[in-house]
Amino acid sequence: YITLQRSTNAQDAIRTIADLLDTYGYYSEGESFSIADKSEVWHMELIGRGKDKVGAVWVAMKIPDGYVGGHANQARITTFPQNDAGNCLFSDDVVDFARDMGLYEGSDEDFSFSDTYDPVTFEGARFSEARVWSMFSALSDESFQSQYADYAMGTNLTNRMPLFIQPLSKLSISDVYDRFSNHYEDSPLDFSSDAGAGRGHSPNRPRPLSWDYQEVTYINERSIATPQTGWNYVAQVRGWLPRELAAVMWFGADDSSTAPRVPVYGCATQLSPAYAGVGPQDGVPNRVLNFDLTKAFFVQNMVSNLAYSRWDVIYPVLSNRLREVRELFHSQTMIVETEALQLYHTHGKEAAVEHLTAATVRFGDEMQSLWFQFYGELFVRFRDGYDIVPDVDNTECECEVKNVGFSDDWKSRIVQETATHYEEILSYGVSIGGDGHVIIDKDAFDGTDV
């Protein structure tokens, strides 16, 4: 946030981050940033220098025009050009510090930032790099997924993926939304059908990511979309608009596959009360145990957690509503931005900022109301294990109550695990065998003629 206040463009932001680190220190292990302005997008990675040492070592690479980058809790920059300041920036001691710490002995040219400071482990590949792999696979031809599948699965850690790729076609904001909703569907890491998925074929798992059983460690997959997400956003920078109108952030207050995103303009000076508040950045703890229906976080979590409980029947309805809401708000922003641009040219930037601020507040209020109403729709439809849909011909409730029951694959699993425990026995000792034949248990009769 301090960097945003003090920087005029992406490269300036990188240098501001570096100056702040060197001046005030860095109290963490490492992280990655996507930094964008109206002309450029940069991928920056930094690693803390460690105890009793101030700041961090870092490298930043510019993503070429027409390419897509990605990062997910794992350093990805390996070797980098050290004489091309227009495309690569780095801390002065990025190589020497590694030598001083005994981490590297080779030449400057062969130095790999990731392999030295954050080597990829099984967990680094499976929990982090696999998310980049799933996104890149969706944007590339079919060969990419198979080419790097062993790396994503953690079985071949030397098969590193490129830092950025050229997608098959230009991405729309809807394409980015879809990538953020990914759970490794239709890939070698798809985890919606094993025992952990439950009868609802849920791609969501409880934490921790690693767990032990009989002295063997196992994992849960960590896909792009996950229930443990606190918030997510998709940011747009429209270089053809005036600076005050250029940036809009589509913000969701929960899981990136279940939360609706509301437009928040970069110039806005106020937010909807549903999205506004104070937290640790203000020296105030987040009161997450104080339930508050006026806040987007709780309402969006209500919808998400209802979907988690019966994913196979609720998520398709939720996904469809997300698309509808997305189209609704995108159409509204087009109108608002046209009005703001006209105000900008006729009444000045202050009038445009005021207009977009009012729109930001209104959008947040509207989203909060829509999503709470949607929770009610889901609750009355899917309560008690049913799927209750409208039926005006039913004079009792104007509804049809459907029993969803088990899918065939879940029925098969129950029978395999329980054998005849749940098998229905017909009256008088008569049952139907697995091959369809009638079986009569003569010992079950009490002598009554049948």
Side-chain angles (χ1 to χ4, degrees), residues 278-285:
V278 295
Q281 69 273 17
D282 307 292
V284 179

Side-chain angles (χ1 to χ4, degrees), residues 325-372:
V325 168
R326 179 196 314 172
E327 293 171 0
L328 171 65
F329 280 86
H330 274 265
S331 64
Q332 291 185 17
T333 58
M334 292 177 65
I335 297 172
V336 166
E337 290 168 14
T338 300
E339 295 169 344
L341 187 60
Q342 183 176 3
L343 284 170
Y344 183 91
H345 291 303
T346 58
H347 292 78
K349 65 181 181 182
E350 291 80 8
V353 168
E354 182 178 351
H355 188 69
L356 291 181
T357 296
T360 296
V361 174
R362 184 173 69 252
F363 290 150
D365 291 345
E366 183 180 357
M367 183 68 81
Q368 178 75 351
S369 177
L370 284 173
W371 217 242
F372 184 64

Side-chain angles (χ1 to χ4, degrees), residues 130-435:
R131 285 178 272 165
V132 179
W133 165 78
S134 69
M135 181 184 70
F136 283 2
S137 296
L139 304 178
S140 306
D141 61 36
E142 296 179 357
S143 65
F144 189 96
Q145 183 181 94
S146 59
Q147 181 178 353
Y148 295 104
D150 58 354
Y151 175 66
M153 297 179 73
T155 59
N156 183 0
L157 301 182
T158 63
N159 188 25
R160 298 292 296 263
M161 296 183 294
L163 185 61
F164 32 70
I165 64 164
Q166 189 170 22
L168 294 176
S169 59
K170 187 175 181 179
L171 273 63
S172 67
I173 190 169
S174 294
D175 292 328
V176 179
Y177 278 21
D178 291 342
R179 301 287 70 76
F180 273 34
S181 297
N182 182 274
H183 302 94
Y184 298 148
E185 289 90 349
D186 302 319
S187 82
L189 294 184
D190 191 330
F191 56 112
S192 62
S193 298
D194 60 49
R199 70 183 181 93
H201 297 284
S202 172
N204 305 299
R205 298 291 186 274
R207 295 295 175 92
L209 287 172
S210 300
W211 47 278
D212 296 330
Y213 178 68
Q214 294 184 348
E215 300 184 353
V216 178
T217 299
Y218 299 87
I219 65 162
N220 292 324
E221 303 294 358
R222 179 16 178 137
S223 58
I224 292 176
T226 180
Q228 290 76 24
T229 298
W231 47 268
N232 74 91
Y233 67 89
V234 175
Q236 284 182 289
V237 183
R238 290 82 58 87
W240 60 90
L241 291 173
R243 185 173 68 90
E244 291 77 13
L245 283 62
V248 60
M249 177 174 67
W250 295 86
F251 183 84
D254 192 28
D255 182 338
S256 60
S257 68
T258 59
R261 296 184 181 91
V262 64
V264 178
Y265 287 99
C267 67
T269 59
Q270 187 179 350
L271 295 172
S272 161
Y275 292 84
V278 295
Q281 69 273 17
D282 307 292
V284 179
N286 282 324
R287 305 295 183 184
V288 295
L289 295 180
N290 295 349
F291 185 64
D292 188 351
L293 278 175
T294 68
K295 297 301 182 182
F297 174 80
F298 290 101
V299 171
Q300 293 183 20
N301 268 273
M302 287 164 59
V303 172
S304 299
N305 280 270
L306 188 59
Y308 298 152
S309 66
R310 297 177 62 192
W311 188 261
D312 57 339
V313 293
I314 296 181
Y315 186 66
V317 178
L318 169 56
S319 181
N320 185 62
R321 184 60 58 90
L322 285 171
R323 283 191 292 271
E324 293 174 357
V325 168
R326 179 196 314 172
E327 293 171 0
L328 171 65
F329 280 86
H330 274 265
S331 64
Q332 291 185 17
T333 58
M334 292 177 65
I335 297 172
V336 166
E337 290 168 14
T338 300
E339 295 169 344
L341 187 60
Q342 183 176 3
L343 284 170
Y344 183 91
H345 291 303
T346 58
H347 292 78
K349 65 181 181 182
E350 291 80 8
V353 168
E354 182 178 351
H355 188 69
L356 291 181
T357 296
T360 296
V361 174
R362 184 173 69 252
F363 290 150
D365 291 345
E366 183 180 357
M367 183 68 81
Q368 178 75 351
S369 177
L370 284 173
W371 217 242
F372 184 64
Q373 180 181 358
F374 180 50
Y375 173 78
E377 293 176 25
L378 292 176
F379 184 84
V380 298
R381 175 175 175 179
F382 294 106
R383 63 176 175 82
D384 301 331
Y386 296 118
D387 183 0
I388 306 172
V389 296
D391 181 2
V392 295
D393 295 328
N394 185 331
T395 57
E396 292 185 1
C397 66
E398 293 188 342
C399 68
E400 178 186 359
V401 180
K402 298 180 180 179
N403 291 303
V404 177
F406 297 129
S407 61
D408 285 344
D409 64 328
W410 198 251
K411 291 176 183 177
S412 174
R413 177 165 290 172
I414 293 173
V415 173
Q416 291 175 12
E417 293 181 4
T418 63
T420 60
H421 181 76
Y422 294 109
E423 184 176 340
E424 181 178 2
I425 305 299
L426 301 181
S427 301
Y428 303 109
V430 179
S431 64
I432 306 299
D435 58 0

Side-chain angles (χ1 to χ4, degrees), residues 10-11 14 32-36 40-46 58-65 67-71 75-91 94 111-114 162-164:
Q11 294 192 41
I14 292 168
S32 303
F33 299 97
S34 294
I35 303 175
E40 300 177 347
V41 179
W42 287 72
H43 173 136
M44 182 181 189
E45 297 181 350
L46 55 89
W58 57 272
V59 178
M61 294 279 291
K62 187 172 78 171
I63 299 176
D65 290 346
Y67 282 71
V68 173
H71 50 88
R76 303 198 61 242
I77 297 175
T78 54
T79 56
F80 52 92
Q82 298 181 28
N83 294 292
D84 185 4
N87 293 291
C88 182
L89 301 171
F90 51 91
S91 56
V94 66
F111 178 78
S112 167
F113 184 83
S114 171
L163 185 61
F164 32 70

